[in-house]
Amino acid sequence: MSKPATVFDALMTRLQADSTLSGYVKQFLEGEREIDSVTQFPTLMVDYLGSSEEDDTYGVQRITMRAAIILVINVSAKEKQITGDTAAKGALDYLNDIKKAIDGDRTLGGTAIHTVMREDNFTTVNFPVRALTLNLEILFEQTESVRT
């Protein structure tokens, strides 16, 4: 059984522990920030979007947490922003790396039952800065009466 904060922390830990992401991400931040305030690239933010609960069964509550992984990148070559090349990553390469990190352990160290990757979105903030977002749903259980 897990608490929401424990599941959120496990997601942060999973991303920070990934050898590919930790090799190039400059900052891992909890909670979304103003994109214009980001000065180190790439910066990865994880934000809590909400949750929903199912009816309990035998005192166990099933919860689906929604979270967003937001990566802010700075790719100055317009023709390389989306696909990149052998010398520099593009937005799709970064997105794939995030998905591989989640695929490495969809139970987030055993704190969740399963993690589902939903939609992704790309936003141009202020060229050459872009933000890409991957929305997740994380299913976990907690004991209803004590919320642990």
Side-chain angles (χ1 to χ4, degrees):
M1 305 295 159
S2 300
K3 292 192 257 186
T6 305
V7 174
F8 189 89
D9 288 345
L11 174 59
M12 287 293 296
T13 300
R14 177 77 204 127
L15 296 168
Q16 291 169 329
D18 182 77
S19 60
T20 301
L21 293 178
S22 64
Y24 63 77
V25 172
K26 303 294 186 218
Q27 298 184 91
F28 290 86
L29 303 174
E30 189 175 300
E32 187 173 4
R33 309 291 199 283
E34 289 292 325
I35 303 299
D36 291 338
S37 71
V38 174
T39 58
Q40 298 180 55
F41 301 97
T43 290
L44 189 144
M45 299 176 265
V46 180
D47 200 17
Y48 173 80
L49 300 178
S51 64
S52 57
E53 297 185 15
E54 296 178 25
D55 289 336
D56 66 283
T57 305
Y58 305 110
V60 174
Q61 198 76 36
R62 280 201 166 204
I63 300 171
T64 301
M65 175 187 291
R66 292 177 306 285
I69 299 171
I70 304 145
L71 186 71
V72 183
I73 60 173
N74 185 333
V75 181
S76 56
K78 286 184 180 182
E79 66 280 358
K80 303 297 179 199
Q81 276 205 342
I82 304 299
T83 58
D85 61 18
T86 56
K89 288 181 179 281
L92 291 173
D93 299 314
Y94 288 118
L95 180 63
N96 197 52
D97 287 347
I98 293 168
K99 288 180 176 183
K100 286 191 297 188
I102 299 298
D103 280 338
D105 181 6
R106 287 188 182 233
T107 70
L108 306 176
T111 62
I113 296 168
H114 190 64
T115 302
V116 178
M117 293 176 265
R118 294 293 181 199
E119 69 279 347
D120 56 73
N121 302 294
F122 290 12
T123 309
T124 300
V125 176
N126 189 6
F127 182 81
V129 176
R130 291 185 77 109
L132 41 132
T133 303
L134 175 62
N135 291 321
L136 306 175
E137 290 182 355
I138 305 165
L139 177 64
F140 66 99
E141 293 180 333
Q142 70 178 189
T143 305
E144 180 191 33
S145 60
V146 292
R147 296 283 174 174
T148 59

